[in-house]
Every structure is written in C-alpha cells, then in structure tokens.
Short mmCIF file of all heavy atoms in Angstrom, two decimals:
data_model
loop_
_atom_site.label_atom_id
_atom_site.label_comp_id
_atom_site.label_asym_id
_atom_site.label_seq_id
_atom_site.Cartn_x
_atom_site.Cartn_y
_atom_site.Cartn_z
N MET A 1 -7.34 0.85 -11.83
CA MET A 1 -6.39 -0.20 -11.49
C MET A 1 -6.89 -0.92 -10.24
O MET A 1 -7.17 -0.29 -9.23
CB MET A 1 -5.01 0.43 -11.25
CG MET A 1 -3.93 -0.61 -11.03
SD MET A 1 -2.29 0.14 -10.80
CE MET A 1 -1.87 0.53 -12.48
N SER A 2 -7.01 -2.22 -10.32
CA SER A 2 -7.54 -3.02 -9.22
C SER A 2 -6.57 -3.07 -8.04
O SER A 2 -5.36 -2.96 -8.22
CB SER A 2 -7.79 -4.45 -9.70
OG SER A 2 -8.74 -4.45 -10.72
N PRO A 3 -7.11 -3.26 -6.82
CA PRO A 3 -6.24 -3.37 -5.65
C PRO A 3 -5.38 -4.63 -5.72
O PRO A 3 -5.70 -5.57 -6.44
CB PRO A 3 -7.22 -3.43 -4.48
CG PRO A 3 -8.48 -3.96 -5.08
CD PRO A 3 -8.52 -3.42 -6.48
N VAL A 4 -4.30 -4.62 -4.96
CA VAL A 4 -3.39 -5.76 -4.91
C VAL A 4 -3.61 -6.50 -3.59
O VAL A 4 -3.54 -5.89 -2.52
CB VAL A 4 -1.92 -5.29 -5.03
CG1 VAL A 4 -0.97 -6.46 -4.84
CG2 VAL A 4 -1.70 -4.62 -6.37
N LYS A 5 -3.90 -7.78 -3.70
CA LYS A 5 -4.12 -8.61 -2.50
C LYS A 5 -2.76 -9.06 -1.98
O LYS A 5 -1.97 -9.67 -2.72
CB LYS A 5 -4.97 -9.81 -2.89
CG LYS A 5 -5.39 -10.69 -1.76
CD LYS A 5 -6.29 -11.80 -2.34
CE LYS A 5 -6.63 -12.84 -1.33
NZ LYS A 5 -7.42 -13.93 -1.94
N MET A 6 -2.46 -8.74 -0.72
CA MET A 6 -1.17 -9.11 -0.13
C MET A 6 -1.36 -9.70 1.25
O MET A 6 -2.22 -9.26 2.01
CB MET A 6 -0.25 -7.89 -0.01
CG MET A 6 0.22 -7.33 -1.32
SD MET A 6 1.52 -6.11 -1.08
CE MET A 6 2.89 -7.18 -0.73
N SER A 7 -0.53 -10.66 1.57
CA SER A 7 -0.50 -11.25 2.89
C SER A 7 0.47 -10.43 3.74
O SER A 7 1.66 -10.36 3.42
CB SER A 7 -0.04 -12.71 2.78
OG SER A 7 -0.30 -13.38 3.97
N LEU A 8 -0.04 -9.77 4.79
CA LEU A 8 0.79 -8.90 5.61
C LEU A 8 0.86 -9.43 7.04
O LEU A 8 -0.08 -10.07 7.52
CB LEU A 8 0.23 -7.47 5.62
CG LEU A 8 0.07 -6.79 4.26
CD1 LEU A 8 -0.55 -5.41 4.45
CD2 LEU A 8 1.39 -6.68 3.53
N GLU A 9 1.97 -9.15 7.69
CA GLU A 9 2.20 -9.63 9.06
C GLU A 9 1.89 -8.54 10.08
O GLU A 9 2.23 -7.37 9.89
CB GLU A 9 3.67 -10.03 9.23
CG GLU A 9 4.09 -11.23 8.41
CD GLU A 9 5.58 -11.52 8.58
OE1 GLU A 9 6.12 -11.31 9.67
OE2 GLU A 9 6.18 -11.94 7.58
N ALA A 10 1.26 -8.93 11.17
CA ALA A 10 0.91 -8.00 12.24
C ALA A 10 2.15 -7.31 12.80
O ALA A 10 3.19 -7.96 12.99
CB ALA A 10 0.20 -8.75 13.36
N ASN A 11 2.02 -6.01 13.01
CA ASN A 11 3.05 -5.19 13.67
C ASN A 11 4.38 -5.09 12.93
O ASN A 11 5.36 -4.62 13.48
CB ASN A 11 3.28 -5.65 15.11
CG ASN A 11 1.99 -5.62 15.90
OD1 ASN A 11 1.25 -4.65 15.84
ND2 ASN A 11 1.71 -6.69 16.62
N LYS A 12 4.42 -5.52 11.67
CA LYS A 12 5.62 -5.35 10.85
C LYS A 12 5.49 -4.01 10.12
O LYS A 12 4.39 -3.61 9.71
CB LYS A 12 5.73 -6.49 9.83
CG LYS A 12 6.95 -6.40 8.93
CD LYS A 12 7.04 -7.60 8.00
CE LYS A 12 8.19 -7.46 7.01
NZ LYS A 12 8.26 -8.60 6.08
N GLU A 13 6.62 -3.31 9.96
CA GLU A 13 6.58 -2.00 9.30
C GLU A 13 6.57 -2.18 7.78
O GLU A 13 7.43 -2.87 7.23
CB GLU A 13 7.78 -1.18 9.74
CG GLU A 13 7.78 0.24 9.19
CD GLU A 13 8.91 1.08 9.77
OE1 GLU A 13 9.12 1.04 10.99
OE2 GLU A 13 9.59 1.75 8.98
N TYR A 14 5.59 -1.53 7.13
CA TYR A 14 5.50 -1.55 5.66
C TYR A 14 5.53 -0.11 5.16
O TYR A 14 5.16 0.82 5.89
CB TYR A 14 4.20 -2.22 5.20
CG TYR A 14 4.14 -3.69 5.50
CD1 TYR A 14 3.48 -4.16 6.63
CD2 TYR A 14 4.75 -4.61 4.65
CE1 TYR A 14 3.43 -5.52 6.91
CE2 TYR A 14 4.71 -5.97 4.93
CZ TYR A 14 4.04 -6.42 6.05
OH TYR A 14 4.01 -7.76 6.33
N HIS A 15 5.91 0.07 3.90
CA HIS A 15 5.98 1.40 3.31
C HIS A 15 5.16 1.41 2.02
O HIS A 15 5.55 0.77 1.02
CB HIS A 15 7.44 1.78 3.03
CG HIS A 15 8.29 1.73 4.26
ND1 HIS A 15 8.34 2.76 5.16
CD2 HIS A 15 9.07 0.75 4.77
CE1 HIS A 15 9.13 2.44 6.16
NE2 HIS A 15 9.59 1.21 5.96
N PHE A 16 4.05 2.12 2.08
CA PHE A 16 3.13 2.19 0.94
C PHE A 16 3.64 3.21 -0.08
O PHE A 16 3.95 4.36 0.27
CB PHE A 16 1.75 2.60 1.44
CG PHE A 16 0.72 2.77 0.37
CD1 PHE A 16 0.26 1.69 -0.36
CD2 PHE A 16 0.19 4.03 0.09
CE1 PHE A 16 -0.71 1.84 -1.35
CE2 PHE A 16 -0.77 4.20 -0.90
CZ PHE A 16 -1.21 3.10 -1.61
N CYS A 17 3.71 2.81 -1.33
CA CYS A 17 4.16 3.71 -2.40
C CYS A 17 3.11 4.78 -2.67
O CYS A 17 1.94 4.47 -2.91
CB CYS A 17 4.41 2.91 -3.69
SG CYS A 17 4.74 3.96 -5.12
N THR A 18 3.52 6.05 -2.61
CA THR A 18 2.61 7.16 -2.90
C THR A 18 2.92 7.82 -4.25
O THR A 18 2.17 8.66 -4.71
CB THR A 18 2.71 8.24 -1.81
OG1 THR A 18 4.04 8.74 -1.77
CG2 THR A 18 2.31 7.69 -0.44
N CYS A 19 4.05 7.43 -4.85
CA CYS A 19 4.47 8.11 -6.09
C CYS A 19 3.98 7.43 -7.37
O CYS A 19 3.97 8.04 -8.42
CB CYS A 19 5.99 8.23 -6.13
SG CYS A 19 6.83 6.68 -6.54
N GLY A 20 3.61 6.15 -7.27
CA GLY A 20 3.13 5.42 -8.44
C GLY A 20 4.23 4.86 -9.33
O GLY A 20 3.94 4.29 -10.38
N LYS A 21 5.48 5.02 -8.93
CA LYS A 21 6.59 4.55 -9.77
C LYS A 21 7.12 3.18 -9.37
O LYS A 21 7.95 2.60 -10.07
CB LYS A 21 7.74 5.55 -9.72
CG LYS A 21 7.42 6.89 -10.34
CD LYS A 21 8.61 7.83 -10.22
CE LYS A 21 8.31 9.19 -10.82
NZ LYS A 21 9.43 10.12 -10.61
N SER A 22 6.71 2.67 -8.21
CA SER A 22 7.23 1.39 -7.74
C SER A 22 6.86 0.25 -8.69
O SER A 22 5.73 0.17 -9.17
CB SER A 22 6.65 1.08 -6.34
OG SER A 22 6.98 -0.23 -5.97
N ALA A 23 7.79 -0.65 -8.92
CA ALA A 23 7.53 -1.79 -9.80
C ALA A 23 6.49 -2.72 -9.19
O ALA A 23 5.81 -3.45 -9.91
CB ALA A 23 8.83 -2.56 -10.06
N THR A 24 6.36 -2.69 -7.86
CA THR A 24 5.37 -3.55 -7.20
C THR A 24 4.02 -2.84 -7.10
O THR A 24 3.06 -3.41 -6.62
CB THR A 24 5.81 -3.94 -5.78
OG1 THR A 24 5.81 -2.78 -4.96
CG2 THR A 24 7.18 -4.59 -5.77
N THR A 25 3.94 -1.61 -7.49
CA THR A 25 2.75 -0.77 -7.49
C THR A 25 2.33 -0.30 -6.10
O THR A 25 2.03 0.86 -5.92
CB THR A 25 1.53 -1.48 -8.12
OG1 THR A 25 1.92 -2.08 -9.33
CG2 THR A 25 0.41 -0.50 -8.40
N VAL A 26 2.32 -1.19 -5.12
CA VAL A 26 1.77 -0.80 -3.82
C VAL A 26 2.80 -0.58 -2.72
O VAL A 26 2.57 0.21 -1.82
CB VAL A 26 0.70 -1.79 -3.34
CG1 VAL A 26 -0.52 -1.73 -4.24
CG2 VAL A 26 1.25 -3.19 -3.27
N LEU A 27 3.91 -1.29 -2.76
CA LEU A 27 4.93 -1.09 -1.73
C LEU A 27 6.13 -0.37 -2.33
O LEU A 27 6.52 -0.63 -3.48
CB LEU A 27 5.36 -2.43 -1.11
CG LEU A 27 4.26 -3.16 -0.33
CD1 LEU A 27 4.80 -4.46 0.26
CD2 LEU A 27 3.66 -2.30 0.76
N CYS A 28 6.70 0.54 -1.55
CA CYS A 28 7.83 1.35 -2.01
C CYS A 28 9.03 0.48 -2.35
O CYS A 28 9.39 -0.42 -1.59
CB CYS A 28 8.19 2.33 -0.89
SG CYS A 28 9.65 3.33 -1.23
N ASP A 29 9.66 0.76 -3.48
CA ASP A 29 10.90 0.07 -3.85
C ASP A 29 12.04 1.07 -4.05
O ASP A 29 13.07 0.73 -4.62
CB ASP A 29 10.69 -0.80 -5.10
CG ASP A 29 10.45 0.02 -6.36
OD1 ASP A 29 10.38 1.28 -6.28
OD2 ASP A 29 10.30 -0.59 -7.43
N GLY A 30 11.83 2.31 -3.60
CA GLY A 30 12.86 3.33 -3.69
C GLY A 30 12.80 4.17 -4.96
O GLY A 30 13.57 5.12 -5.12
N SER A 31 11.88 3.85 -5.86
CA SER A 31 11.79 4.57 -7.15
C SER A 31 11.36 6.02 -7.00
O SER A 31 11.45 6.80 -7.95
CB SER A 31 10.82 3.84 -8.09
OG SER A 31 11.28 2.55 -8.38
N HIS A 32 10.86 6.41 -5.82
CA HIS A 32 10.39 7.79 -5.62
C HIS A 32 11.54 8.78 -5.51
O HIS A 32 11.29 9.99 -5.59
CB HIS A 32 9.56 7.87 -4.32
CG HIS A 32 10.35 7.55 -3.09
ND1 HIS A 32 10.50 6.27 -2.62
CD2 HIS A 32 11.08 8.35 -2.28
CE1 HIS A 32 11.27 6.30 -1.54
NE2 HIS A 32 11.64 7.53 -1.30
N LYS A 33 12.76 8.30 -5.34
CA LYS A 33 13.90 9.21 -5.13
C LYS A 33 13.97 10.25 -6.23
O LYS A 33 13.93 9.94 -7.41
CB LYS A 33 15.19 8.41 -5.05
CG LYS A 33 15.29 7.65 -3.75
CD LYS A 33 16.64 6.99 -3.55
CE LYS A 33 16.64 6.32 -2.19
NZ LYS A 33 16.88 4.91 -2.23
N GLY A 34 14.04 11.51 -5.80
CA GLY A 34 14.11 12.63 -6.74
C GLY A 34 12.75 13.19 -7.11
O GLY A 34 12.66 14.22 -7.76
N SER A 35 11.67 12.53 -6.68
CA SER A 35 10.33 12.98 -7.04
C SER A 35 9.76 13.98 -6.04
O SER A 35 8.74 14.62 -6.31
CB SER A 35 9.38 11.78 -7.13
OG SER A 35 9.13 11.24 -5.83
N GLY A 36 10.38 14.06 -4.86
CA GLY A 36 9.84 14.94 -3.82
C GLY A 36 8.77 14.27 -3.00
O GLY A 36 8.24 14.85 -2.06
N LEU A 37 8.41 13.04 -3.35
CA LEU A 37 7.40 12.28 -2.61
C LEU A 37 8.07 11.27 -1.71
O LEU A 37 9.24 10.90 -1.93
CB LEU A 37 6.45 11.56 -3.59
CG LEU A 37 5.61 12.48 -4.48
CD1 LEU A 37 4.88 11.66 -5.54
CD2 LEU A 37 4.61 13.27 -3.64
N ALA A 38 7.34 10.81 -0.72
CA ALA A 38 7.88 9.83 0.22
C ALA A 38 6.82 8.77 0.48
O ALA A 38 5.62 9.05 0.41
CB ALA A 38 8.27 10.51 1.52
N PRO A 39 7.23 7.55 0.81
CA PRO A 39 6.26 6.51 1.09
C PRO A 39 5.54 6.75 2.42
O PRO A 39 6.02 7.51 3.26
CB PRO A 39 7.12 5.24 1.15
CG PRO A 39 8.47 5.72 1.55
CD PRO A 39 8.62 7.07 0.90
N LYS A 40 4.39 6.11 2.58
CA LYS A 40 3.60 6.20 3.82
C LYS A 40 3.85 4.94 4.63
O LYS A 40 3.56 3.84 4.17
CB LYS A 40 2.12 6.33 3.47
CG LYS A 40 1.19 6.35 4.68
CD LYS A 40 -0.25 6.50 4.24
CE LYS A 40 -1.17 6.54 5.45
NZ LYS A 40 -2.58 6.78 5.05
N THR A 41 4.39 5.10 5.83
CA THR A 41 4.65 3.96 6.71
C THR A 41 3.34 3.50 7.35
O THR A 41 2.52 4.33 7.77
CB THR A 41 5.66 4.36 7.80
OG1 THR A 41 6.88 4.74 7.16
CG2 THR A 41 5.93 3.20 8.75
N PHE A 42 3.13 2.18 7.37
CA PHE A 42 1.92 1.67 8.02
C PHE A 42 2.18 0.30 8.64
O PHE A 42 3.17 -0.36 8.33
CB PHE A 42 0.75 1.61 7.03
CG PHE A 42 0.86 0.53 5.98
CD1 PHE A 42 0.13 -0.66 6.11
CD2 PHE A 42 1.66 0.69 4.86
CE1 PHE A 42 0.22 -1.65 5.14
CE2 PHE A 42 1.75 -0.30 3.88
CZ PHE A 42 1.03 -1.47 4.03
N PHE A 43 1.29 -0.07 9.53
CA PHE A 43 1.31 -1.37 10.21
C PHE A 43 -0.09 -1.96 10.11
O PHE A 43 -1.06 -1.21 9.90
CB PHE A 43 1.65 -1.19 11.69
CG PHE A 43 3.00 -0.57 11.94
CD1 PHE A 43 3.14 0.82 11.94
CD2 PHE A 43 4.11 -1.35 12.18
CE1 PHE A 43 4.37 1.41 12.17
CE2 PHE A 43 5.36 -0.76 12.41
CZ PHE A 43 5.49 0.62 12.40
N VAL A 44 -0.21 -3.25 10.24
CA VAL A 44 -1.54 -3.87 10.28
C VAL A 44 -1.71 -4.56 11.65
O VAL A 44 -0.73 -5.02 12.24
CB VAL A 44 -1.74 -4.89 9.14
CG1 VAL A 44 -1.76 -4.17 7.80
CG2 VAL A 44 -0.67 -5.97 9.14
N PRO A 45 -2.95 -4.60 12.15
CA PRO A 45 -3.19 -5.14 13.49
C PRO A 45 -3.16 -6.66 13.57
O PRO A 45 -2.94 -7.21 14.64
CB PRO A 45 -4.59 -4.61 13.83
CG PRO A 45 -5.24 -4.42 12.50
CD PRO A 45 -4.14 -4.00 11.56
N GLU A 46 -3.41 -7.33 12.45
CA GLU A 46 -3.37 -8.79 12.48
C GLU A 46 -2.79 -9.33 11.18
O GLU A 46 -2.89 -8.70 10.13
CB GLU A 46 -4.76 -9.37 12.74
CG GLU A 46 -5.82 -8.96 11.75
CD GLU A 46 -7.19 -9.55 12.10
OE1 GLU A 46 -7.31 -10.79 12.17
OE2 GLU A 46 -8.13 -8.76 12.31
N SER A 47 -2.19 -10.52 11.28
CA SER A 47 -1.60 -11.16 10.10
C SER A 47 -2.71 -11.79 9.28
O SER A 47 -3.40 -12.70 9.75
CB SER A 47 -0.60 -12.24 10.54
OG SER A 47 0.47 -11.66 11.24
N LYS A 48 -2.91 -11.29 8.07
CA LYS A 48 -3.92 -11.82 7.17
C LYS A 48 -3.74 -11.16 5.80
O LYS A 48 -2.82 -10.35 5.61
CB LYS A 48 -5.33 -11.59 7.70
CG LYS A 48 -5.73 -10.13 7.78
CD LYS A 48 -7.19 -9.99 8.20
CE LYS A 48 -7.66 -8.54 8.04
NZ LYS A 48 -9.08 -8.37 8.28
N GLU A 49 -4.63 -11.46 4.86
CA GLU A 49 -4.55 -10.86 3.54
C GLU A 49 -5.31 -9.53 3.54
O GLU A 49 -6.40 -9.44 4.11
CB GLU A 49 -5.12 -11.81 2.49
CG GLU A 49 -4.23 -13.04 2.32
CD GLU A 49 -4.64 -13.93 1.18
OE1 GLU A 49 -5.86 -14.07 0.94
OE2 GLU A 49 -3.74 -14.48 0.53
N TYR A 50 -4.71 -8.54 2.89
CA TYR A 50 -5.31 -7.22 2.79
C TYR A 50 -5.33 -6.81 1.31
O TYR A 50 -4.48 -7.25 0.53
CB TYR A 50 -4.48 -6.18 3.55
CG TYR A 50 -4.52 -6.35 5.05
CD1 TYR A 50 -3.64 -7.24 5.68
CD2 TYR A 50 -5.41 -5.63 5.83
CE1 TYR A 50 -3.68 -7.40 7.06
CE2 TYR A 50 -5.44 -5.79 7.22
CZ TYR A 50 -4.57 -6.68 7.82
OH TYR A 50 -4.60 -6.85 9.18
N TYR A 51 -6.28 -5.96 0.97
CA TYR A 51 -6.32 -5.39 -0.38
C TYR A 51 -5.73 -3.99 -0.31
O TYR A 51 -6.30 -3.11 0.35
CB TYR A 51 -7.76 -5.35 -0.91
CG TYR A 51 -8.26 -6.72 -1.30
CD1 TYR A 51 -8.93 -7.52 -0.38
CD2 TYR A 51 -8.02 -7.21 -2.58
CE1 TYR A 51 -9.36 -8.79 -0.73
CE2 TYR A 51 -8.45 -8.48 -2.93
CZ TYR A 51 -9.12 -9.27 -2.01
OH TYR A 51 -9.53 -10.53 -2.35
N LEU A 52 -4.59 -3.79 -0.97
CA LEU A 52 -3.91 -2.50 -0.95
C LEU A 52 -4.22 -1.72 -2.22
O LEU A 52 -4.28 -2.27 -3.32
CB LEU A 52 -2.40 -2.70 -0.81
CG LEU A 52 -1.95 -3.45 0.46
CD1 LEU A 52 -0.43 -3.53 0.50
CD2 LEU A 52 -2.48 -2.79 1.71
N CYS A 53 -4.39 -0.42 -2.05
CA CYS A 53 -4.75 0.47 -3.16
C CYS A 53 -3.63 0.56 -4.19
O CYS A 53 -2.49 0.85 -3.85
CB CYS A 53 -5.06 1.86 -2.61
SG CYS A 53 -5.34 3.09 -3.89
N ALA A 54 -3.96 0.36 -5.45
CA ALA A 54 -2.99 0.47 -6.54
C ALA A 54 -3.31 1.67 -7.42
O ALA A 54 -2.47 2.09 -8.22
CB ALA A 54 -2.97 -0.80 -7.38
N CYS A 55 -4.52 2.25 -7.27
CA CYS A 55 -4.91 3.37 -8.15
C CYS A 55 -4.52 4.72 -7.55
O CYS A 55 -4.60 5.74 -8.23
CB CYS A 55 -6.40 3.33 -8.44
SG CYS A 55 -7.46 3.82 -7.05
N LYS A 56 -4.12 4.73 -6.27
CA LYS A 56 -3.71 5.94 -5.54
C LYS A 56 -4.86 6.91 -5.33
O LYS A 56 -4.65 8.09 -5.07
CB LYS A 56 -2.53 6.66 -6.25
CG LYS A 56 -1.36 5.76 -6.60
CD LYS A 56 -0.76 5.05 -5.43
CE LYS A 56 0.40 4.16 -5.85
NZ LYS A 56 0.77 3.21 -4.79
N LYS A 57 -6.12 6.44 -5.40
CA LYS A 57 -7.28 7.31 -5.18
C LYS A 57 -7.99 7.03 -3.86
O LYS A 57 -8.92 7.74 -3.50
CB LYS A 57 -8.28 7.15 -6.33
CG LYS A 57 -7.76 7.63 -7.68
CD LYS A 57 -8.79 7.35 -8.76
CE LYS A 57 -8.25 7.70 -10.13
NZ LYS A 57 -9.12 7.19 -11.20
N SER A 58 -7.56 5.99 -3.16
CA SER A 58 -8.25 5.62 -1.92
C SER A 58 -8.12 6.71 -0.85
O SER A 58 -7.03 7.22 -0.61
CB SER A 58 -7.68 4.31 -1.38
OG SER A 58 -8.25 4.02 -0.11
N ALA A 59 -9.22 7.00 -0.18
CA ALA A 59 -9.20 7.95 0.94
C ALA A 59 -8.72 7.25 2.20
O ALA A 59 -8.50 7.88 3.22
CB ALA A 59 -10.59 8.54 1.15
N ASN A 60 -8.59 5.94 2.13
CA ASN A 60 -8.16 5.13 3.26
C ASN A 60 -6.84 4.43 2.97
O ASN A 60 -6.61 3.31 3.41
CB ASN A 60 -9.26 4.10 3.61
CG ASN A 60 -8.98 3.41 4.92
OD1 ASN A 60 -8.42 3.99 5.85
ND2 ASN A 60 -9.36 2.14 5.01
N ALA A 61 -5.97 5.07 2.18
CA ALA A 61 -4.69 4.47 1.81
C ALA A 61 -3.89 4.12 3.05
O ALA A 61 -3.93 4.86 4.03
CB ALA A 61 -3.89 5.44 0.94
N PRO A 62 -3.23 2.98 3.04
CA PRO A 62 -2.90 2.14 1.90
C PRO A 62 -3.97 1.11 1.51
O PRO A 62 -3.76 0.33 0.60
CB PRO A 62 -1.64 1.41 2.39
CG PRO A 62 -1.88 1.25 3.85
CD PRO A 62 -2.56 2.52 4.27
N PHE A 63 -5.10 1.14 2.19
CA PHE A 63 -6.11 0.12 1.94
C PHE A 63 -7.11 0.56 0.87
O PHE A 63 -7.47 1.74 0.80
CB PHE A 63 -6.84 -0.23 3.24
CG PHE A 63 -5.88 -0.59 4.34
CD1 PHE A 63 -5.59 0.31 5.35
CD2 PHE A 63 -5.20 -1.81 4.32
CE1 PHE A 63 -4.67 -0.01 6.34
CE2 PHE A 63 -4.27 -2.13 5.30
CZ PHE A 63 -4.00 -1.23 6.32
N CYS A 64 -7.55 -0.38 0.07
CA CYS A 64 -8.55 -0.10 -0.97
C CYS A 64 -9.86 0.31 -0.33
O CYS A 64 -10.31 -0.31 0.63
CB CYS A 64 -8.74 -1.37 -1.82
SG CYS A 64 -10.07 -1.21 -3.03
N ASP A 65 -10.49 1.36 -0.87
CA ASP A 65 -11.83 1.76 -0.41
C ASP A 65 -12.84 1.71 -1.54
O ASP A 65 -13.94 2.25 -1.43
CB ASP A 65 -11.79 3.16 0.23
CG ASP A 65 -11.55 4.27 -0.78
OD1 ASP A 65 -11.29 3.98 -1.96
OD2 ASP A 65 -11.63 5.46 -0.37
N GLY A 66 -12.46 1.09 -2.65
CA GLY A 66 -13.38 0.94 -3.79
C GLY A 66 -13.32 2.09 -4.78
O GLY A 66 -14.03 2.08 -5.78
N SER A 67 -12.47 3.08 -4.53
CA SER A 67 -12.40 4.26 -5.41
C SER A 67 -11.99 3.91 -6.84
O SER A 67 -12.36 4.62 -7.77
CB SER A 67 -11.40 5.28 -4.86
OG SER A 67 -11.89 5.83 -3.65
N HIS A 68 -11.24 2.82 -7.03
CA HIS A 68 -10.79 2.44 -8.39
C HIS A 68 -11.97 2.11 -9.31
O HIS A 68 -11.85 2.19 -10.51
CB HIS A 68 -9.85 1.23 -8.32
CG HIS A 68 -10.52 0.00 -7.80
ND1 HIS A 68 -10.68 -0.25 -6.46
CD2 HIS A 68 -11.09 -1.05 -8.45
CE1 HIS A 68 -11.32 -1.41 -6.30
NE2 HIS A 68 -11.58 -1.90 -7.48
N ALA A 69 -13.10 1.76 -8.72
CA ALA A 69 -14.27 1.35 -9.51
C ALA A 69 -15.17 2.53 -9.86
O ALA A 69 -16.15 2.37 -10.60
CB ALA A 69 -15.06 0.29 -8.75
N LYS A 70 -14.87 3.72 -9.33
CA LYS A 70 -15.75 4.87 -9.57
C LYS A 70 -15.32 5.66 -10.79
O LYS A 70 -14.17 5.69 -11.13
CB LYS A 70 -15.76 5.78 -8.34
CG LYS A 70 -16.37 5.12 -7.14
CD LYS A 70 -16.27 6.01 -5.90
CE LYS A 70 -16.71 5.22 -4.67
NZ LYS A 70 -16.26 5.81 -3.42
S1 FES B 1 8.59 4.03 -4.85
FE1 FES B 1 6.79 5.17 -4.69
S2 FES B 1 6.92 6.10 -2.74
FE2 FES B 1 8.73 4.93 -2.91
#
C-alpha cells in the first residue's frame, strides 16, 4: 500500500492510526476502539507535505521509509 501524501501543520498534534481500521488509513478516526490498540501521537517540525505510512510496516512511523515497496 503506497504512502499517503498529506499537508501537515508545524507543532499541531496528530494521531497516526496503528490499527489499520481507520477510513483515512493514516490518521486515527476512532475505529480502533475495542481493538486494544491506540494511535501514535506525533508532531511535525515544519508546515509542509509529508508522506505518511499506509502499509503499517515503516520502522519510522508515521513517516514512510519505503518498506511498502519491499
Ligand atoms: S483508528 Fe486506527 S488507531 Fe485509531
């Protein structure tokens, strides 16, 4: 699954989906409830576009590290 390109704002709190059930794939929408999993809170240092991991294999989550292509 290819990464999702998103425009993120510096110092804003985001919640990366770790359960894979979110309708947006990469950001938590609350679908994890009851799964025992929780989202990963993260911030970005500058406002720009980022590639977020959608395959859940990145070692650098929430950011894509190319693992989806391996
Ligand atoms: S929906 Fe996946 S962690 Fe919240």
Side-chain angles (χ1 to χ4, degrees):
M1 186 178 282
S2 298
V4 175
K5 185 177 173 184
M6 291 191 76
S7 194
L8 303 178
E9 294 177 34
N11 303 314
K12 180 177 175 181
E13 185 174 314
Y14 292 97
H15 303 278
F16 177 67
C17 172
T18 61
C19 76
K21 294 179 181 175
S22 171
T24 67
T25 313
V26 293
L27 295 181
C28 175
D29 68 357
S31 297
H32 63 273
K33 287 188 177 121
S35 70
L37 296 172
K40 176 179 181 176
T41 299
F42 71 102
F43 300 85
V44 293
E46 57 182 301
S47 297
K48 65 175 190 174
E49 292 187 323
Y50 291 85
Y51 286 91
L52 300 182
C53 173
C55 73
K56 310 302 180 195
K57 294 177 185 168
S58 174
N60 190 33
F63 307 104
C64 174
D65 70 354
S67 293
H68 63 278
K70 295 176 189 162

